[in-house]
């Protein structure tokens, strides 16, 4: 890990303050931010409208890049998955999804799914990210740089963010909020708060804290079970924050923000795809006027779970919708590139000698 702070972790005021300490004119702040976010360059030396002395000072004080692409994979549906390496050698995944029915509207062409931790501590039984626990939180700069690098490598302007990659975003609250502030800022990436969705395993106190933030972020909660008995079987976090408390926090979010929220519900064969679960899900989502994203499970090598057949999924959807709940049955994107949470990294770490395409 490098000792220098990364410039992409700074808010505009913090950069200004540093420039003032160096007795630089105030207009340099925006010149620098332009080179970092609007027309990103790879080195401080390329910031051609800055005097050489300032470029030198910046390079001695700050890092500019926080992630480095080690591998990209294209799926036939054009979902593109990036494996990034951090300064300490850790690997994280970021996915570019050209259109995500159910998550975004038709006009949101380019969605980036970002990671917030190396690994994950929550150990959901179906998920590849948590298999080896959590290694560390990502810094704000690393989160911001995921988006910048995907933009650069793909040539697409990103206009939608889903915080649904590796890790539990609300367990890395401060760095997440700092990153989202930069991603949202007009001087940063300029992506509207309403185009940013934060997905959580259901950390109750943090959901309440998020509700009290000024930013109008969209909230998604990974439910995956509509009763404590079923949810606790696959999500250990349910023992700490059972459904009653979780739903009360969701209610607080919806009423404080005056925004609709989403429940994500993976369909796993023989586990949470019963009529009883569909009814319970319809009831609780209906009460909160929440939308439900049904996602047929994406099998993970080494784990026993399977997705139900298409008829079972459609039947489940129908039962939920009878409670006047809006649902989407997500047609899985990226299955053939192991795009489910944590899968690419897992494969890379278990088999690092396999051909790595330098991006
Ligand atoms: N920790 C956060 C965000 C990361 S996971 C959360 O739990 O919401 C993003 C979503 O992918 C979650 O809903 C998670 O349950 C889901 N997911 C994990 N593994 C999956 C798999 N194999 N197939 C389908 N969805 C999966």
């Amino acid at each position: 890990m490098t000792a220098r702070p990364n410039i992409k972790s700074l808010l505009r005021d913090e950069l200004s303050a540093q420039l003032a300490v160096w007795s630089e004119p105030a207009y340099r702040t925006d010149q620098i931010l332009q080179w970092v976010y609007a027309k990103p360059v790879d080195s401080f030396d390329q910031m051609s409208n800055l005097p050489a002395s300032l470029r030198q000072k910046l390079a001695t004080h700050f890092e500019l890049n926080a992630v480095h692409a080690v591998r990209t994979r294209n799926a036939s549906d054009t979902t593109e998955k990036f494996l990034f390496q951090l300064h300490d050698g850790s690997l994280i995944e970021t996915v570019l999804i050209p259109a995500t029915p159910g998550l975004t509207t038709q006009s949101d062409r380019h969605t980036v799914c970002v990671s917030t931790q190396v690994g994950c501590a929550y150990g959901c039984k179906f998920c590849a990210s948590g298999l080896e626990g959590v290694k560390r939180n990502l810094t704000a700069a690393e989160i911001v740089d995921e988006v910048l690098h995907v933009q650069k490598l793909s040539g697409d302007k990103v206009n939608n963010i889903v915080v649904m990659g590796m890790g539990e975003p609300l367990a890395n609250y401060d760095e997440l909020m700092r990153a989202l502030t930069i991603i949202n800022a007009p001087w940063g990436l300029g992506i509207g708060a309403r185009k940013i969705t934060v997905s959580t395993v259901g950390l109750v106190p943090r959901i309440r804290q998020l509700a009290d933030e000024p930013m109008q972020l969209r909230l998604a909660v990974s439910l995956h079970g509509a009763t404590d008995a079923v949810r606790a079987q696959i999500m250990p976090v349910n023992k700490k924050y059972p459904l009653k408390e979780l739903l009360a926090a969701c209610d607080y979010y919806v009423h404080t923000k005056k925004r609709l929220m989403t429940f994500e519900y993976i369909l796993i064969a023989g586990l949470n795809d019963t009529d009883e679960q569909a009814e319970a899900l319809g009831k609780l989502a209906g009460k909160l006027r929440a939308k439900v994203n049904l996602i047929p499970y994406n099998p993970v090598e080494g784990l026993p779970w399977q997705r139900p057949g298409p008829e079972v999924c459609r039947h489940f959807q129908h039962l939920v919708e009878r409670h006047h709940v809006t649902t989407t049955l997500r047609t899985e994107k990226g299955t053939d590139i192991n795009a489910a949470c944590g899968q690419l990294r897992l494969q890379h770490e278990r088999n690092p000698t396999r051909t790595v395409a330098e991006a």
Side-chain angles (χ1 to χ4, degrees):
M1 203 61 177
T2 151
R4 276 175 302 195
N6 194 297
I7 200 164
K8 289 170 187 156
S9 271
L10 295 191
L11 301 178
R12 189 178 183 283
D13 289 352
E14 295 165 340
L15 180 59
S16 290
Q18 180 61 68
L19 292 167
V21 169
W22 291 339
S23 309
E24 292 287 343
Y27 64 83
R28 295 287 183 216
T29 305
D30 288 320
Q31 285 183 324
I32 296 169
L33 290 172
Q34 283 251 318
W35 289 119
V36 177
Y37 299 108
K39 29 181 184 171
V41 286
D42 289 325
S43 72
F44 289 108
D45 214 39
Q46 289 168 278
M47 302 185 172
S48 55
N49 57 358
L50 306 183
S53 60
L54 177 56
R55 284 185 249 164
Q56 187 57 47
K57 242 186 271 179
L58 288 168
T60 341
H61 275 78
F62 297 114
E63 280 293 328
L64 180 59
N65 289 306
V67 310
H68 159 79
V70 288
R71 173 148 125 177
T72 67
R73 288 183 80 181
N74 276 300
S76 47
D77 62 12
T78 73
T79 296
E80 199 171 348
K81 184 136 192 172
F82 300 84
L83 189 67
F84 289 126
Q85 191 158 45
L86 312 178
H87 283 307
D88 66 352
S90 297
L91 296 169
I92 54 161
E93 308 175 2
T94 311
V95 185
L96 174 66
I97 315 158
T100 320
L103 271 182
T104 60
T105 59
Q106 279 305 309
S107 59
D108 293 324
R109 300 317 293 180
H110 301 112
T111 298
V112 168
C113 174
V114 298
S115 291
T116 52
Q117 298 183 307
V118 182
C120 182
Y122 288 86
C124 297
K125 300 274 194 281
F126 47 81
C127 179
S129 290
L131 287 177
E132 281 145 34
V134 67
K135 187 168 166 197
R136 69 169 172 89
N137 283 333
L138 297 195
T139 62
E142 286 164 342
I143 299 170
V144 169
D145 224 8
E146 289 181 60
V147 183
L148 276 170
H149 270 71
V150 167
Q151 218 163 237
K152 188 176 146 204
L153 292 167
S154 67
D156 293 330
K157 171 81 182 100
V158 171
N159 48 22
N160 210 63
I161 302 282
V162 293
V163 188
M164 293 187 182
M166 274 170 40
E168 168 49 40
L170 298 188
N172 183 14
Y173 195 90
D174 294 344
E175 291 298 302
L176 172 76
M177 290 315 291
R178 177 172 276 267
L180 295 183
T181 303
I182 295 166
I183 287 170
N184 177 235
W187 50 261
L189 285 156
I191 299 174
R194 288 179 170 77
K195 303 264 171 120
I196 302 174
T197 303
V198 176
S199 177
T200 176
V201 77
L203 304 188
V204 165
R206 297 305 196 180
I207 292 174
R208 291 177 179 273
Q209 189 177 353
L210 196 66
D212 293 331
E213 297 282 350
M215 241 192 292
Q216 287 289 343
L217 300 168
R218 284 162 48 153
L219 175 69
V221 168
S222 295
L223 207 61
H224 311 331
T227 57
D228 282 322
V230 169
R231 191 165 190 264
Q233 266 183 54
I234 44 175
M235 299 181 73
V237 71
N238 195 77
K239 296 190 183 96
K240 186 155 189 200
Y241 301 119
L243 279 178
K244 192 162 173 254
E245 286 173 41
L246 175 57
L247 297 175
C250 292
D251 187 69
Y252 181 73
Y253 193 92
V254 169
H255 285 98
T256 312
K257 283 269 177 266
K258 310 216 176 343
R259 309 268 309 150
L260 299 181
M261 61 159 300
T262 302
F263 285 120
E264 290 159 87
Y265 196 99
I266 302 179
L267 288 162
I268 304 177
L271 188 96
N272 65 359
D273 61 346
T274 59
D275 290 7
E276 178 229 1
Q277 288 296 300
E279 293 296 342
L281 177 59
K283 253 184 231 154
L284 66 84
K287 246 189 233 160
L288 281 166
R289 303 211 306 120
K291 198 178 136 195
V292 172
N293 278 341
L294 298 169
I295 310 146
Y297 181 64
N298 200 5
V300 174
E301 214 182 298
L303 296 182
W305 320 103
Q306 295 302 325
R307 64 169 58 177
E311 319 75 51
V312 175
C313 296
R314 275 194 297 270
H315 174 68
F316 191 94
Q317 179 181 32
H318 171 71
L319 292 184
V320 177
E321 284 187 337
R322 283 208 316 212
H323 293 267
H324 309 288
V325 171
T326 307
T327 71
T328 53
L329 181 56
R330 209 191 296 173
T331 46
E332 201 63 32
K333 285 196 171 278
T335 316
D336 64 327
I337 54 162
N338 288 326
C341 196
Q343 291 185 22
L344 184 62
R345 166 176 169 263
L346 195 69
Q347 191 187 71
H348 185 80
E349 288 190 336
R350 285 183 178 166
N351 204 350
T353 49
R354 251 172 45 184
T355 335
V356 171
E358 275 296 329

